[in-house]
Amino acid sequence: MDAQITHENQLGTYLKNRRLKLDPAAFGFSAERRRTPGLRREEVAQRANISSTWYTWLEQGRGGAPSADVLDRIAHALMLTDVEREHLFLIGLGRPPDVRYQKNEGVTPRLQRVLDALNPVPAIIRTATWYVVAWNRAATTMIMDYGSLPPEQRNILRFIFLDPRPRASQHDWESVARFVLGAFRVDAARAGAAEEVEPLVEELCRLSPEFRAMWRENDVQGPHGERVKHIRHPVLGPISFEYSAFAVDGRPDLSMVVYNPATPADAERIASQMEAQSSAS
């Protein structure tokens, strides 16, 4: 019976465990006259801006399913890490939390080594707002030299709508542009980054009539994990890629995009072009 109760009240057990591990003094609460360590239930409720009764019911397994907003408030009140917050959502709602937008300056050396190990397969890492923050040499050869651009211009939408190279390399530029824009809209909304992307959207609406028209159509695309991409490389000619996007473990705000050559011959051609560029530099 105890095992059954514990299983049914995983949320309450987890909340109590996290609460008892916190130092009251660190939050400005008096540590005097406490029979148990950690924060009191009413103190957590106060920090989360929810009723003490409702929080108590959650710990006791009597509150029903909480909303995502309530869990977010409690996660903040308990100072949970991203991993702990995700676990809270999984046991409280049966799903992970929505992606939270995080401004970042790049990726870890370990993640960059993963990209480098994929050569001659082009691969990049993009944010939820479609800024490219890491890439490998194959991506520089086949897509573009992101390192030649300042960070604020390494955005895939800017590349698609403002740079003439994608129009020349894509077999059906309009279809690709619509797909990219629809997927971007979903990712930015899911990450809660509407405010952050507003300057980019305003700039592109001003500079690109095509973007302005497509943006006003409000189309969305998804899921966009796997596709086949055909391009015309200025040196190598037509090449096909199996396009796949993966979530980055521990960083739900990032995605790794891999352009796997569709044939061994295409992979050999890319490797040869990379060697030629290295010899010329």
Side-chain angles (χ1 to χ4, degrees):
M1 179 65 72
D2 290 343
Q4 182 181 359
I5 293 174
T6 301
H7 175 73
E8 291 177 351
N9 191 26
Q10 290 184 70
L11 175 61
T13 301
Y14 187 67
L15 290 175
K16 181 177 180 181
N17 178 270
R18 295 297 95 189
R19 173 173 62 83
L20 295 180
K21 291 182 181 297
L22 297 177
D23 179 8
F27 298 92
F29 296 117
S30 173
E32 298 179 358
R33 291 190 294 274
R34 290 176 183 264
R35 292 178 295 177
T36 58
L39 297 185
R40 298 187 176 105
R41 287 169 174 165
E42 59 267 25
E43 291 168 342
V44 175
Q46 176 184 332
R47 284 180 47 79
N49 195 28
I50 60 177
S51 77
S52 178
T53 299
W54 172 235
Y55 179 79
T56 298
W57 284 354
L58 287 178
E59 280 203 7
Q60 294 175 344
R62 299 192 294 133
S67 67
D69 178 62
V70 166
L71 287 186
D72 250 336
R73 294 185 189 184
I74 293 174
H76 177 75
L78 295 174
M79 301 292 288
L80 299 186
T81 65
D82 285 345
V83 174
E84 292 169 339
R85 174 175 173 266
E86 181 179 23
H87 183 68
L88 179 68
F89 269 72
L90 288 173
I91 60 178
L93 292 178
R95 63 169 178 81
D98 292 335
V99 175
R100 291 192 299 185
Y101 176 68
Q102 301 180 34
K103 292 184 178 179
N104 58 78
E105 301 299 328
V107 300
T108 63
R110 173 179 175 272
L111 200 49
Q112 181 63 55
R113 288 193 294 270
V114 172
L115 291 179
D116 294 339
L118 291 173
N119 284 313
V121 175
I124 65 172
I125 293 179
R126 70 180 184 219
T127 68
T129 53
W130 287 53
Y131 280 89
V132 177
V133 293
W135 58 92
N136 60 10
R137 283 183 54 226
T140 299
T141 298
M142 298 306 301
I143 304 174
M144 72 170 301
D145 183 5
Y146 294 103
S148 67
L149 300 174
E152 65 273 13
Q153 293 186 17
R154 297 172 187 165
N155 185 274
I156 294 174
L157 268 71
R158 288 182 57 89
F159 180 56
I160 292 292
F161 286 94
L162 301 184
D163 195 304
R165 286 172 290 183
R167 296 175 186 267
S169 66
Q170 301 292 342
H171 290 269
D172 185 354
W173 177 85
E174 182 176 345
S175 176
V176 171
R178 288 184 180 280
F179 165 76
V180 168
L181 185 54
F184 163 83
R185 188 189 291 273
V186 170
D187 283 352
R190 184 180 291 130
E195 185 174 332
E196 284 76 11
V197 303
E198 189 172 328
L200 173 67
V201 170
E202 291 178 350
E203 178 189 17
L204 292 177
C205 282
R206 185 175 68 254
L207 299 178
S208 170
E210 294 101 331
F211 178 91
R212 182 170 60 250
M214 292 182 193
W215 183 257
R216 289 175 176 172
E217 292 174 6
N218 281 298
D219 290 338
V220 295
Q221 293 281 351
H224 51 280
E226 297 184 356
R227 287 170 61 93
V228 175
K229 184 179 182 67
H230 306 279
I231 70 167
R232 290 186 296 264
H233 190 267
V235 176
L236 301 180
I239 291 186
S240 297
F241 296 97
E242 295 174 343
Y243 165 109
S244 300
F246 307 93
V248 176
D249 187 30
R251 288 295 303 273
D253 58 311
L254 298 180
S255 296
M256 177 183 290
V257 182
V258 178
Y259 301 88
N260 194 36
T263 68
D266 284 341
E268 291 178 6
R269 293 164 65 199
I270 296 172
S272 297
Q273 179 66 16
M274 292 172 62
E275 291 178 7
Q277 289 181 340
S278 296
S279 300
S281 60

